[in-house]
Amino acid sequence: MDGDEQLLRGRAHDHDHGHDHDHDAPRPGEAHDVGPGTACRFHCTGETASRDRAGGLHLDSHTPAIRVPAGLVGPPASGKTSFVRALIARRQIDAEAVVSSDEIRAEFFGTSPAEAESDAADARIFEERDRRIAVRLAAGHSAVAESTNVTPQARARLVALAGRFDAPVTMLRFAPDVADLLRQYTERGRTDLTAADVRAYAAVMTREAGAEQLRSEGATAVHDVPGRRETITPSEAAAHFSFA
């Protein structure tokens, strides 16, 4: 979990009964961009998606690969960690490029969930996350912020941090159907979250993390990462992107 948890506490029994109705947002797997000449810190290997006769997903056209920070946006169990692990396994990014709030939480608090689940703990975790991202950006390295980032407040923090280094931000959206999300949550056997928690995060994602919303907040480019709904594995999804 991430700093969104401060805002989501008390909403664990919210339910999401629909899908994202942002009609300006392409289907999952399609890429979003704000126009020609925009700098992306990672580059997606295409701006539009198509399928071949076998159902394979292809992204077409090319954009320059430029170092900028990337933020992952999606509920718990939406595939963010599997995606970054695939990027690392494919040697598309170094493991050090991924700055994970969950990993920092584990470093600081280990197996003490009571101590880790507080506003004070979140503040400490995200101060450290910001510090690590800033160190990488100051050195000219790429950084991937692996947190849920489903609320505008959480994303504003990333955009402001990138702004200190004049770095445009790319957002990668993970927005599976709620049924797929709950299936992945069950398969992973997570004990730190309930199904109600996952639904609450998904509901906020639907309301507050559409592609147009992310662009309006300052994201230079927004891309949907394909997944289970498109029968795309994490490794196949990773192959659509390259990082400089």
Side-chain angles (χ1 to χ4, degrees):
M1 287 182 264
D2 70 0
D4 289 335
E5 186 176 348
Q6 293 177 341
L7 295 162
L8 289 168
R9 286 193 183 101
R11 300 192 205 176
H13 298 292
D14 287 353
H15 294 280
D16 178 18
H17 295 295
H19 303 287
D20 191 345
H21 297 292
D22 180 358
H23 299 295
D24 294 327
R27 295 181 301 275
E30 291 184 339
H32 309 254
D33 208 337
V34 291
T38 347
C40 299
R41 149 152 104 210
F42 81 100
H43 99 270
C44 173
T45 56
E47 294 180 341
T48 58
S50 61
R51 288 188 179 274
D52 61 22
R53 291 180 182 177
L57 187 67
H58 299 285
L59 296 178
D60 307 310
S61 100
H62 297 272
T63 54
I66 300 173
R67 279 193 182 120
V68 297
L72 308 187
V73 180
S78 59
K80 300 182 300 297
T81 299
S82 296
F83 176 72
V84 296
R85 286 176 178 168
L87 290 172
I88 293 167
R90 291 171 52 86
R91 298 184 179 179
Q92 292 172 252
I93 60 173
D94 295 329
E96 294 76 15
V98 181
V99 183
S100 166
S101 57
D102 279 350
E103 290 184 3
I104 295 171
R105 187 181 302 274
E107 288 175 24
F108 283 178
F109 301 104
T111 57
S112 303
E115 187 180 0
E117 303 301 328
S118 69
D119 289 351
D122 280 347
R124 182 181 172 197
I125 289 161
F126 281 85
E127 285 172 6
E128 176 62 14
R129 184 206 65 170
D130 291 355
R131 185 194 69 79
R132 294 184 187 186
I133 292 174
V135 167
R136 289 194 61 82
L137 295 181
H141 300 313
S142 58
V144 178
E146 187 194 351
S147 307
T148 59
N149 297 313
V150 296
T151 64
Q153 294 87 340
R155 295 188 296 270
R157 183 168 182 158
L158 281 177
V159 171
L161 177 59
R164 289 168 46 193
F165 300 92
D166 296 321
V169 178
T170 296
M171 295 290 184
L172 301 182
R173 295 178 72 251
F174 296 75
D177 290 331
V178 174
D180 285 340
L181 185 64
L182 292 173
R183 190 175 299 116
Q184 289 170 183
Y185 158 74
T186 300
E187 290 171 352
R188 292 167 191 179
R190 292 189 62 164
T191 59
D192 59 326
L193 292 166
T194 67
D197 293 332
V198 174
R199 283 185 176 275
Y201 274 90
V204 176
M205 175 83 180
T206 297
R207 292 194 305 268
E208 301 182 0
E212 288 302 322
Q213 172 74 20
L214 301 188
R215 283 194 286 266
S216 73
E217 295 168 358
T220 301
V222 181
H223 299 270
D224 278 359
V225 178
R228 190 172 204 146
R229 178 167 45 191
E230 299 79 27
T231 65
I232 297 293
T233 67
S235 182
E236 290 168 340
H240 293 314
F241 300 90
S242 69
F243 290 69

